[in-house]
Structure formats: structure tokens, C-alpha cells
Amino acid sequence: MNAPPQMAVTVAITRRVDPEKSAEMAAWVRAGASLAETFPGFLGTGWVRPEVGSSEWHMLYRFADAESLRDWEESAQRRWWLSSAEGFVEHTRVERRTGIEGWFDPPRDQEIDQPGPPPAAAPPRWKQAVTIWLGFFPVSLLSAVLLTPHITTLNVVLKTLISTLVLTPIMTYLVLPRVTKALQPWLKR
């Protein structure tokens, strides 16, 4: 039997820093990225602030698989890098995501220094696929009835662009949250 394919892991971290220390924070983030990119399996990193002068910094990094991520997170280089921010950076939240289970698990707040219980396992991929289809089918059908008649004269690229621009937010913000909530007992079994 073949081993299941390894899933890339994305880690999202929220950190807080005094807005007057933005230059130091930017240099610290770049130093961490430079260290992480030397590790096998590193796929990328980035950061954003919600607005100018914000004390929050949202950071992402991605590794090819859980083992590569663990190698980075348990490394002496990362410990040194984190210790270099003691006193001016507050670590407030961490999330780890693989695949599409973000549809099925609500985000979890977790203190870095006080890890909670491990997150519940995501439902099997086939249950995720069935759940997405149960939301996608009626939305697609509704789109065929209500939207398609208004865009029939457009070329296929524009039709696809318009339909995906309309359907993606509907699926993301209206349909999938409701479908996954309704199916939670089945998804968790």
C-alpha cells in the first residue's frame, strides 16, 4: 500500500509590536525569512499589516510537509531568531493549515507559550469533496438559471470570469459555512 501524499503546511502567525519599532520588526522578519529559506522543504513566506501604524503583523510561512516544518520549528536557528525579538515582539496567535480543511475547521486561537490540545483531524478528503459538491451543485444550477441567460453573448473567457467572480464569494461566505455547519456531525464521524 502506498503512503498517503505529503501535504504542504502553511503556518499563519499574528504578532504584535509597538508601531514605533516597525523598522526593527521588518528587519527581524527578513532575518527569519532568510534563515527559514535555507531549510529543505521551505516554500515561501510573507507578512502584512492591516493598516499603516498597526501594532499587528500577520505572517505566513509554508513548508512542503510536516516533517520539513518540524525541522525548521525545532531548529537552533529558529530558537535564536525568536529569542532575538524578546522584549519587543508579542506572539499572539498561530494556525496551521494543509489542503482545504480550512473550510471544515474554524480558526483556532492559541497562545504560542501555552499550546492547547492538538486540533481535531480534518474529515477524510472524500467527505470534503461531497460537502463541497453539495454546496456547489445548487449554486451552479441557480447560476445556470439566473446568470447564464444574461451573459450568453459573451465569449467563454468572459463568461467564466463573470461566473467565477459571482460564485466564489457566494460559495465562500454563504454556502460552504452553512453546509459544513449542517454536516458537522457527519463530518466528525
Side-chain angles (χ1 to χ4, degrees):
M1 187 165 141
N2 292 339
Q6 294 291 313
M7 298 292 298
V9 183
T10 301
V11 178
I13 301 176
T14 301
R15 292 184 166 112
R16 251 188 227 111
V17 68
D18 181 344
E20 293 182 14
K21 301 257 186 199
S22 291
E24 294 92 334
M25 183 64 169
W28 182 75
V29 168
R30 285 191 298 272
S34 294
L35 288 171
E37 67 189 16
T38 65
F39 278 72
F42 176 78
L43 298 175
T45 188
W47 55 271
V48 296
R49 292 168 58 193
E51 60 191 13
V52 175
S54 172
S55 64
E56 284 196 341
W57 292 62
H58 302 284
M59 302 171 195
L60 295 171
Y61 55 90
R62 187 167 176 85
F63 279 83
D65 53 51
E67 185 177 343
S68 299
L69 173 63
R70 187 173 41 256
D71 290 346
W72 159 245
E73 289 187 329
E74 294 176 359
S75 70
Q77 293 93 323
R78 183 170 182 268
R79 280 193 303 276
W80 170 84
W81 174 68
L82 288 173
S83 72
S84 71
E86 286 178 10
F88 86 94
V89 175
E90 177 188 353
H91 309 278
T92 60
R93 194 178 87 198
V94 176
E95 287 184 47
R96 286 173 174 70
R97 296 283 181 216
T98 59
I100 60 170
E101 78 267 14
W103 291 118
F104 302 95
D105 298 334
R108 292 173 37 113
D109 286 353
Q110 167 176 327
E111 295 294 322
I112 293 175
D113 295 335
Q114 301 169 2
R125 293 272 181 224
W126 71 269
K127 285 187 175 184
Q128 294 178 27
V130 168
T131 301
I132 291 169
W133 181 84
L134 286 171
F136 189 70
F137 177 76
V139 170
S140 296
L141 187 60
L142 198 58
S143 169
V145 171
L146 298 176
L147 180 62
T148 303
H150 301 289
I151 60 175
T152 56
T153 59
L154 300 176
N155 71 44
V156 72
V157 173
L158 285 175
K159 283 193 259 189
T160 304
L161 175 68
I162 290 169
S163 66
T164 56
L165 284 172
V166 170
L167 297 180
T168 300
I170 290 171
M171 284 292 294
T172 302
Y173 297 106
L174 298 176
V175 176
L176 278 178
R178 286 172 175 81
V179 171
T180 56
K181 184 177 181 181
L183 295 178
Q184 277 304 305
W186 176 71
L187 288 167
K188 289 181 178 179
R189 259 188 267 141

